[in-house]
Amino acid sequence: MANIIEFSGTVLVAAGKERRGMWSVDGRLTFIQPVAAPDVVLDGWVLPGFVDAHCHIGLGPGGAVDEQTTLAQARADLAAGTLLIRDAGSPSDTRWVQGRADLPRLIRAGRHIARDRRYLRGLGHEIEPEQLVETVRKEARDGDGWVKLVGDWIDRGIGDLAASFPAKLVKDAISAAHDEGARVTAHCFAEDTIDDMLDANIDCIEHATGLLPRHLPRLVEQGVPIVPTLVNIATFPEISAQAAPKFPVYADHMAKLWERRHDRVLEAFEAGVTIYTGTDAGSVIKHGRIADEMKELHDAGLPPSAVLEAATWGARAWLGAEAISEGASADVVLCREDPRVALNTVAELQHIVLRGGIIR
């Protein structure tokens, strides 16, 4: 690690606030010029490291993966400029990742909590409704302040998406998590599931493909953000095609959710709903795709400044993490161009600095 790094370019402290003259000294940011000369000078537009707020470190298509695979996942995210990850459910014990100074910072959520035989095998706790509250309490104590519920999944008996657990139990479970000092987020594809989660005082909605106009004011009033994971929603047509022969209603439902994905995200943004970036990497989605998710949000109609807020300053504040300020950890990325003007510059970063160490 270089003891002193000088950042010679424009520093984006917030979407509408920039500064010049910043250094990293022993891994900490400062706007006070050191007496000693820098060991290295890095040029470019400086942003806080990207946040992937829906990512699965230690998870593969069939469940838990070994440490070498986990390491490769974390390194792929790091190479894309993702320096902070909010895990959204993993069957692997990834505490060791948190002990590695050369890997992204990780906020763990424990395992997914799903209904028995109503989710992908090997990924989470598959339980019956009467076990929900106690399982949530356990995961709240085991994680880093987050619990992940699978709010809905296909019910093969009815041939369509359906809630995983009764609404009353979901409310009790979320209340239990709050008692333990944890926040709860939930996988939600369907429309009615979002109503149940808002009624239960959920803290975040993942995917949110079923957003309807009636949900928007409630999300704003309750301060509930969404993480759309649009790079994952791009897989819905394939899911629909595979399901069509046996479950035509479900297949049609998934296709329609995909068709309106961008419209729903833009409607949410225009209504004032808070949006954060998340890739859902770790199962069918490859790691290191944060720039793709940012592009998807922009394609949906969000301006570059809002996309950057979703991926940097806003997401870090939401998760209680440092961004760019005096004394903050030097976790930054440097772009070749102003990303507020040319958002595609985030896909080809000039430099990546983590804890004051130059990754690239």
Side-chain angles (χ1 to χ4, degrees), residues 12-75:
L12 300 180
V13 180
K17 183 179 180 182
E18 57 186 60
R19 295 188 64 164
R20 301 286 298 218
M22 187 175 74
W23 293 261
S24 169
V25 179
D26 295 331
R28 292 284 167 181
L29 297 176
T30 182
F31 295 101
I32 302 170
Q33 184 171 358
V35 174
D39 297 291
V40 63
V41 178
L42 301 182
D43 189 29
W45 296 78
V46 186
L47 284 166
F50 300 141
V51 177
D52 191 335
H54 186 128
C55 190
H56 302 282
I57 294 290
L59 172 68
V65 296
D66 60 26
E67 287 197 3
Q68 282 304 112
T69 303
T70 301
L71 183 61
Q73 292 174 342
R75 284 175 171 167

Side-chain angles (χ1 to χ4, degrees), residues 217-242:
R218 296 193 64 189
L219 288 164
V220 175
E221 290 164 11
Q222 294 179 220
V224 179
I226 64 171
V227 184
T229 66
L230 289 171
V231 292
N232 179 34
I233 305 311
T235 66
F236 276 22
E238 181 181 351
I239 295 171
S240 177
Q242 291 176 347

